[in-house]
Amino acid sequence: MYKTAAILTFTTIDPVIDRATITAFRNDAHRCSYGEKFPFEEASYLKWIETRVDRFPAGFVLVKEDGQPIGQLELQIVLIDDVDFGFINLIYIVPAYRGNGYGHLLTDYAETFFKSNEVESYQLRVSPFNTRAIAFYEKSGFQKIKEVTQPHMLLCYIKTIGR
């Protein structure tokens, strides 16, 4: 049985106000994926996120329960071969909330975001060492499509949702 919140709120990230939270969340996600082998680069991350929040304000959000941040989503739309695809850059839940159904609430939000932008499928990349995330994605209907190296190996997954 899953314990999930009755009400989650999704608020657009403010890179200045939310800096400590988003860098802590991204750093933890980075550590889960790559360990200490590839250090997290906070300055370049903050610069990147500023440009993306402006472009996709509903896609770059903090997930809150009772006003407290418990997760983060980074969603954008990319053009590949003249087709818009959704792309999840980050789906993050704090450790205390993992395994309790919150991931499904975040992917539901992502699918609503992509559908509202007339996107029929979305992709994400995950480290092969993040076995817990891989199991969640596969259970949620994602299909592995390829492996890429940039500069380390990542597995690419896709999910078709229709419009």
Side-chain angles (χ1 to χ4, degrees):
M1 179 183 290
Y2 292 120
K3 174 194 169 236
T4 57
I7 299 177
L8 292 182
T9 57
F10 296 81
T11 59
T12 301
I13 292 169
D14 181 318
V16 175
I17 294 171
D18 300 321
R19 178 183 178 155
T21 301
I22 64 173
T23 56
F25 286 178
R26 183 56 111 145
N27 193 23
D28 185 44
H30 193 83
R31 222 179 3 263
C32 289
S33 295
Y34 311 113
E36 302 299 327
K37 186 174 181 181
F38 299 101
F40 171 65
E41 297 176 12
E42 182 176 320
S44 60
Y45 172 67
L46 290 170
K47 187 175 184 178
W48 174 82
I49 203 163
E50 285 178 12
T51 64
R52 293 299 181 234
V53 168
D54 286 344
R55 197 156 166 223
F56 303 102
F60 281 71
V61 294
L62 282 175
V63 182
K64 297 178 181 179
E65 181 181 66
D66 298 326
Q68 295 300 310
I70 64 157
Q72 182 175 332
L73 279 171
E74 296 174 6
L75 312 171
Q76 63 179 326
I77 298 163
V78 295
L79 187 66
I80 302 173
D81 298 327
D82 295 325
V83 177
D84 283 332
F85 282 91
F87 199 86
I88 295 181
N89 293 95
L90 178 67
I91 182 168
Y92 177 80
I93 302 168
V94 295
Y97 285 77
R98 293 177 190 159
N100 290 310
Y102 289 86
H104 296 290
L105 298 174
L106 273 61
T107 56
D108 288 349
Y109 178 94
E111 289 181 13
T112 299
F113 171 82
F114 293 132
K115 284 180 181 179
S116 72
N117 285 282
E118 299 182 359
V119 171
E120 293 186 11
S121 62
Y122 64 105
Q123 299 180 23
L124 57 83
R125 294 179 178 178
V126 61
S127 166
F129 304 109
N130 196 343
T131 55
R132 186 174 186 161
I134 291 168
F136 170 75
Y137 298 139
E138 290 177 351
K139 183 178 175 183
S140 299
F142 287 84
Q143 296 178 334
K144 182 180 165 190
I145 54 172
K146 64 182 175 180
E147 297 175 1
V148 296
T149 304
Q150 54 172 191
H152 38 276
M153 189 181 51
L154 296 170
L155 307 176
C156 298
Y157 281 82
I158 192 168
K159 185 173 182 184
T160 301
I161 54 174
R163 287 190 185 180

